[in-house]
Amino acid sequence: RTEGFELDSYVAWMDKFQAQLVVLAAQVAWSTAAEVALKTAQASGGDSAAKELDAVVASVIQTLDSLAGAVLRHQPDIRRKKLEHLITELVHQRDVTRELLQRRLASPQDFFWVQQMRFYFDPAESNPLEQLTIVMANARFFYGFEYLGLVDKLVQTPLTDRAFLTLTQALDAIQGGAPFGPAGTGKTESV
């Protein structure tokens, strides 16, 4: 939610965890908020879709604006990388949520929402390796929590989203994939 956001508390929380977990938390929070907004809109016959999604985009923008201001000040190297990675993710979330609004989606079954990479956390799941699920279209994978380190993240675009969609569908079908395209388009960094 937009009210009550405190940058200092957020940064203190962020400093306690690895970047991978911080970004995962942001992805779970956004996926859950957008899904709840779409379900609420669907239950009300689509009338509240814009209002519900406006609240989601406002929350993302407030967090993004606060973090963008923080990254302009001196930060320790590790915190700066976390901020940059998180800002990249939040820009993508903002853009997707705005697109949901523009398309006037009012259902979590709409393909534009279904094709997005979504992260769901189930604390009731007894196996910790199965508590976090990544869903994209009809593919569903357990996250597994393999440590990736403090990696740089390039911009996420509709092209990288389509690549992820294609590759997740291939993996779900127990197939493989090999990104192909011009140099400098983010193939290696994305996969």
Side-chain angles (χ1 to χ4, degrees):
R1 296 285 174 208
T2 58
E3 60 276 350
F5 181 83
E6 295 179 17
L7 179 61
D8 292 337
S9 299
Y10 194 88
V11 171
W13 168 80
M14 193 177 71
D15 285 343
K16 292 180 184 178
F17 299 99
Q18 294 86 359
Q20 182 174 342
L21 296 178
V22 170
V23 172
L24 280 172
Q27 291 167 322
V28 168
W30 174 76
S31 297
T32 303
E35 184 101 6
V36 166
L38 290 169
K39 285 180 179 177
T40 302
Q42 184 179 33
S44 69
D47 295 336
S48 66
K51 179 181 155 219
E52 298 292 331
L53 288 170
D54 273 335
V56 174
V57 79
S59 177
V60 170
I61 288 171
Q62 182 179 30
T63 306
L64 183 58
D65 288 347
S66 296
L67 296 181
V71 82
L72 294 175
R73 295 186 297 273
H74 174 74
Q75 301 290 348
D77 291 343
I78 291 176
R79 182 187 297 159
R80 177 169 298 284
K81 285 190 92 159
K82 286 181 185 181
L83 287 168
E84 290 169 353
H85 193 130
L86 195 52
I87 288 168
T88 302
E89 179 60 34
L90 290 169
V91 166
H92 181 255
Q93 292 175 5
R94 180 202 61 199
D95 293 347
V96 169
T97 310
R98 283 179 175 169
E99 182 84 13
L100 293 172
L101 277 163
Q102 181 183 355
R103 290 172 180 252
R104 299 173 196 225
L105 295 193
S107 168
Q109 286 83 34
D110 188 288
F111 183 70
F112 184 77
W113 174 246
V114 171
Q115 76 176 348
Q116 302 303 319
M117 189 175 293
R118 301 171 325 275
F119 294 75
Y120 298 105
F121 180 70
D122 180 7
E125 175 59 53
S126 61
N127 182 350
L129 296 179
E130 296 181 2
Q131 286 182 329
L132 186 60
T133 307
I134 303 170
V135 180
M136 192 170 203
N138 63 341
R140 178 177 297 272
F141 304 99
F142 295 121
Y143 185 76
F145 296 97
E146 178 181 353
Y147 182 66
L148 301 175
L150 187 54
V151 295
D152 288 326
K153 181 172 182 170
L154 295 178
V155 66
Q156 194 166 341
T157 65
L159 179 61
T160 57
D161 287 341
R162 286 193 301 274
F164 287 140
L165 179 61
T166 301
L167 291 171
T168 57
Q169 298 311 292
L171 287 172
D172 189 54
I174 312 173
Q175 300 293 315
F180 176 77
T185 55
K187 296 177 298 297
T188 303
E189 293 82 358
S190 296
V191 181

